[in-house]
Amino acid sequence: MDSLIGKLTTRLHEHWSEPIASPAQSTPIVMRSYRCQCGRPVFFPNSQCLACETPLGYEVHKGHMIPLEPGRETGTWRRFGGGGKSPAYRRCSNFESAAGCNWLVPVASLMPDDDGLCVACKLNRTIPDQDDERNRELWGKIELAKRRLVSSLIALGLPVLSKESADPEHGLCFDFLRVKAGEPPIMTGHLRGVITLNIEEADDTIREQIRASLREPYRTLLGHFRHEVGHYYWDRLLWNTRWLAPFRALFGDERMDYPGALKKHYEHGPPEDWQKRFVSSYASTHPWEDWAESWAHYLHMVDTLDTSLSFGLDAGNVELGYEPYTLDDVWWPQAQNAEEFLGFINSWIRITGVMNELARSMGQPDFYPFALPRAAVSKLHFIHSVVQDARV
């Protein structure tokens, strides 16, 4: 099956003047640039056009923000100007909540006892106490980042099913918690399909303090989601599959002492040569963390390139002076997707060079404060191959 990266590579080839690796046709990608029926630009979080006040909603399976008009039945909506053939939708039940969810739920998919939640909100198992105003503020930020994550996962064709309502054995769910006075701290992490997130990570000041104390170059809500969901997909896509042996050959044996590895990392730091072998210092802790950090980077790359292309960003005339990666740097040079991936990774280096310069022009830290060693590129190609194989 054609891949998302193939489509990205094709569009990069079309938009940028410098040729890249051979493009391949693919399934449609998720656009991040949308327009209202009035022609004005609208954006992923919007639920109403600020120009003409037309209601908006996000249709996740089509990957598009659509303008709405009232449907035939009270409380339903359809695409603006779509006529009788347009499917009917309801807004997610969390639309009026602090989550402010702007996603749509097809009426045809609703069951008599359905809670009316969209595919992203159905993943919630625990939300913070809504009687607390601060909790509502933090939860709203968390849900926006989570919707961005889920839209990308679905676009990649990965399985996204609720552990609570659809797939108790293999599904995914989230616990969003906030520590109370006198209680032990809440640790963000993953266990058997349950991702726990300390909602105070949505407080920019607190998150920056944690980032500085851990000497991390980058720490965001979306980054947390992408990292932790990487652990979930390791369990889902690699464990007891044909991918496990090549994973161990490339990342290392995950059966090594995990608590001991974490203790060593926090007491002594990463190995001196970590920059030659890993995508981040934390990735050097243990093969599981190497996978999760590399997985998060893969999602960063896909969504960022998708967004840049959606807005017509052209980096073709920028002189970066970098040495492009070659087939010798990918995991399996003979793979059918190797050329496609190579074009993708080289395009990523170019676009992040441009974005770093834009950030510096504003006196801000680098947009992408990482360097990709060739060993990390091989791991990213491996993840790309796993994702392609898992498309549903």
Side-chain angles (χ1 to χ4, degrees):
M1 183 180 293
D2 293 335
S3 73
L4 177 68
I5 304 304
K7 185 65 175 182
L8 285 173
T9 305
T10 300
R11 295 183 64 212
L12 287 161
H13 179 73
E14 293 170 352
H15 279 265
W16 291 1
S17 58
E18 182 182 329
I20 55 179
S22 301
Q25 292 184 343
S26 182
T27 54
I29 63 175
V30 173
M31 293 290 291
R32 294 301 186 188
S33 173
Y34 316 106
R35 291 192 178 274
C36 178
Q37 56 83 24
C38 70
R40 296 291 183 90
V42 294
F43 302 94
F44 186 68
N46 294 157
S47 58
Q48 185 180 54
C49 175
L50 298 180
C52 69
E53 299 186 351
T54 296
L56 306 167
Y58 185 72
E59 220 290 12
V60 63
H61 295 294
K62 295 181 180 178
H64 210 277
M65 182 74 69
I66 60 176
L68 302 170
E69 63 183 13
R72 293 179 178 178
E73 298 182 13
T74 302
T76 66
W77 302 87
R78 63 184 180 185
R79 177 186 283 273
F80 188 97
K85 294 183 179 180
S86 178
Y89 300 98
R90 289 191 182 274
R91 287 199 178 276
C92 174
S93 296
N94 272 339
F95 176 67
E96 299 288 351
S97 73
C101 182
N102 64 345
W103 284 24
L104 300 172
V105 181
V107 170
S109 70
L110 291 171
M111 302 298 288
D113 58 347
D114 201 292
D115 56 15
L117 294 172
C118 71
V119 62
C121 290
K122 281 184 180 294
L123 299 176
N124 292 345
R125 187 174 76 167
T126 307
I127 64 172
D129 179 7
Q130 295 299 285
D131 291 333
D132 186 315
E133 182 179 355
R134 181 60 172 160
N135 284 352
R136 295 196 299 271
E137 176 188 353
L138 298 177
W139 185 47
K141 294 180 180 180
I142 285 168
E143 287 296 328
L144 180 58
K146 191 193 74 181
R147 289 195 293 273
R148 186 94 188 196
L149 168 81
V150 175
S151 68
S152 295
L153 297 177
I154 291 176
L156 284 166
L158 292 167
V160 182
L161 292 173
S162 169
K163 191 176 186 70
E164 291 291 283
S165 60
D167 189 348
E169 184 177 358
H170 301 295
L172 174 68
C173 69
F174 294 91
D175 286 343
F176 298 131
L177 308 175
R178 186 181 180 192
V179 68
K180 296 180 180 178
E183 293 183 349
I186 294 166
M187 303 301 294
T188 294
H190 165 266
L191 181 64
R192 302 187 187 93
V194 180
I195 292 177
T196 301
L197 181 68
N198 178 1
I199 69 168
E200 290 190 340
E201 286 280 356
D203 185 309
D204 294 341
T205 301
I206 293 176
R207 191 176 62 255
E208 175 60 19
Q209 290 173 346
I210 297 173
R211 185 201 67 77
S213 68
L214 296 177
R215 299 180 180 178
E216 296 175 340
Y218 173 93
R219 189 179 184 93
T220 67
L221 270 180
L222 188 53
H224 279 318
F225 275 119
R226 286 171 171 165
H227 176 98
E228 298 303 337
V229 87
H231 287 300
Y232 164 71
Y233 282 111
W234 190 93
D235 288 349
R236 184 74 189 266
L237 305 180
L238 268 71
W239 177 245
N240 279 342
T241 72
R242 64 186 179 87
W243 294 106
L244 188 56
F247 165 82
R248 288 172 176 167
L250 189 60
F251 290 81
D253 194 331
E254 83 289 349
R255 293 169 293 189
M256 66 181 288
D257 179 14
Y258 181 68
L262 289 178
K263 184 174 184 292
K264 179 180 178 181
H265 174 80
Y266 286 117
E267 289 182 354
H268 303 288
E272 292 184 0
D273 66 342
W274 72 264
Q275 292 176 318
K276 297 180 180 180
R277 298 184 287 135
F278 301 97
V279 74
S280 70
S281 61
Y282 190 62
S284 68
T285 304
H286 186 276
W288 275 336
E289 298 304 340
D290 193 5
W291 163 270
E293 286 286 271
S294 300
W295 176 277
H297 262 70
Y298 180 76
L299 295 186
H300 290 336
M301 292 189 295
V302 170
D303 202 23
T304 302
L305 281 172
D306 195 0
T307 301
S308 68
L309 288 169
S310 296
F311 286 91
L313 182 59
D314 186 351
N317 296 321
V318 178
E319 295 183 4
L320 297 180
Y322 78 99
E323 182 179 351
Y325 298 107
T326 69
L327 285 177
D328 291 335
D329 302 313
V330 302
W331 166 59
W332 185 18
Q334 292 76 34
Q336 291 183 353
N337 63 21
E339 288 279 358
E340 168 191 289
F341 176 80
L342 194 60
F344 167 74
I345 196 72
N346 283 325
S347 297
W348 168 252
I349 298 303
R350 293 177 63 197
I351 198 66
T352 53
V354 175
M355 292 183 177
N356 281 346
E357 286 303 312
L358 290 173
R360 292 164 191 164
S361 71
M362 291 291 293
Q364 295 294 321
D366 281 359
F367 166 84
Y368 184 69
F370 301 94
L372 282 179
R374 297 182 186 277
V377 170
S378 180
K379 295 169 185 175
L380 289 166
H381 181 218
F382 177 82
I383 289 174
H384 173 59
S385 300
V386 172
V387 170
Q388 280 193 312
D389 187 63
R391 288 177 62 83
V392 295

